[in-house]
Amino acid sequence: MKDINNNEESYNLTEDENNILDQIGLNDGASRRKFLKQLSAASLSVLASAYFTTDLFATTIKDLPDEVKALLNEVKVNLRVNNMVKPLTLDSRTTLLDALREKLALTGSKKGCDHGQCGACTVIVDGKRRLSCLTLAASCEGKEITTIEGLAENGQLHPMQQAFIKHDGFQCGYCTPGQICSSVALLEEAKNGEASYVTEDFKDIKNNLALSEEEIRERMSGNICRCGAYNNIVQAFKEVHSGDDVMPTWEFATAEQMAKAKI
């Protein structure tokens, strides 16, 4: 053992520790003392940061004040959500997803990628599918918003919710609220005869479309299921859409098709 002493303090270092200090160029006692002091201060700051932020992280939404004292770009918005009007005071940049989750405690809509790529936050706005993480809450003034919590009526699940349960259209369930909202809105899209990427003839589109499995998969492609429950999701949608309870058929690409696609 060796001691590095000054008038105020002493560091007891092992032979290995002294060798390490020698290798990084801290050969004299003064430089070593300075290095060890800085190291001690850095370690203390890491421990202190956890202590001082504990109360902050423990604070829940219910503990926050009802009226925020200072709000940037303040706007007042009346959101009509699930047939109820909710007056809110928000920052103008607040997304619909954050307003639903943080202000109205409607946590069914999930924050997944927060970039509009996974579909977990999908809600229905005026009958259309909408990615709530990319939608400003202020832009929804006067519009009819339906979340997963608003699909059931009089204690009865929506037929699409029942079908998802029956066909096990979920595993972890994280994407399920967005999947179901997207499926419900897709029923209306088919009823109204709206085209999709795989529609063959845009000049001859009729109402009450009978969607093929290819159409269903393409139209639901914006909703990602990391558990891979797509087969059951398609089956659940088919039953509600057309009463077809037959398992979806999945075709494997032929060698010729793979070569053509350069896979």
Side-chain angles (χ1 to χ4, degrees), residues 42 58 72 89 101 104 196 201 222 247:
L72 297 175
T89 301
R101 290 181 58 84
L104 301 180
S196 76
D201 189 355
M247 283 289 290

Side-chain angles (χ1 to χ4, degrees), residues 126-141:
D126 285 347
K128 303 291 185 181
R129 292 182 279 180
R130 188 73 66 87
L131 296 169
S132 58
C133 75
L134 297 183
T135 303
L136 290 176
S139 70
C140 296
E141 174 88 38

Side-chain angles (χ1 to χ4, degrees), residues 21-165:
L21 292 176
D22 288 337
Q23 291 175 14
I24 62 176
L26 301 175
N27 300 317
D28 60 275
S31 59
R32 290 188 179 190
R33 285 194 297 272
K34 181 178 179 182
F35 171 76
L36 292 172
K37 287 180 180 179
Q38 292 174 339
L39 186 63
S40 299
S43 301
L44 179 61
S45 66
V46 172
L47 294 174
S49 65
Y51 173 80
F52 289 121
T53 56
T54 298
D55 291 340
L56 175 62
F57 291 148
T59 301
T60 64
I61 294 300
K62 294 180 180 179
D63 300 324
L64 297 178
D66 293 331
E67 295 185 5
V68 182
K69 299 300 181 182
L71 199 62
L72 297 175
N73 307 307
E74 179 181 304
V75 293
K76 296 185 182 298
V77 182
N78 291 316
L79 293 183
R80 184 175 180 82
V81 183
N82 301 331
N83 296 317
M84 296 181 66
V85 177
K86 304 288 186 178
L88 297 174
T89 301
L90 305 169
D91 185 300
S92 63
R93 298 161 295 183
T94 302
T95 64
L96 177 58
L97 177 61
D98 286 340
L100 292 173
R101 290 181 58 84
E102 309 299 337
K103 299 297 183 181
L104 301 180
L106 295 172
T107 56
S109 304
K110 296 296 186 286
K111 179 174 284 193
C113 66
D114 210 24
H115 286 75
Q117 297 176 348
C118 72
C121 68
T122 303
V123 297
I124 304 172
V125 179
D126 285 347
K128 303 291 185 181
R129 292 182 279 180
R130 188 73 66 87
L131 296 169
S132 58
C133 75
L134 297 183
T135 303
L136 290 176
S139 70
C140 296
E141 174 88 38
K143 297 181 180 180
E144 184 66 44
I145 303 167
T146 303
T147 69
I148 189 68
E149 293 90 347
L151 292 179
E153 293 184 4
N154 301 320
Q156 294 294 319
L157 293 177
H158 188 281
M160 191 64 74
Q161 291 174 303
Q162 295 176 5
F164 266 68
I165 294 174

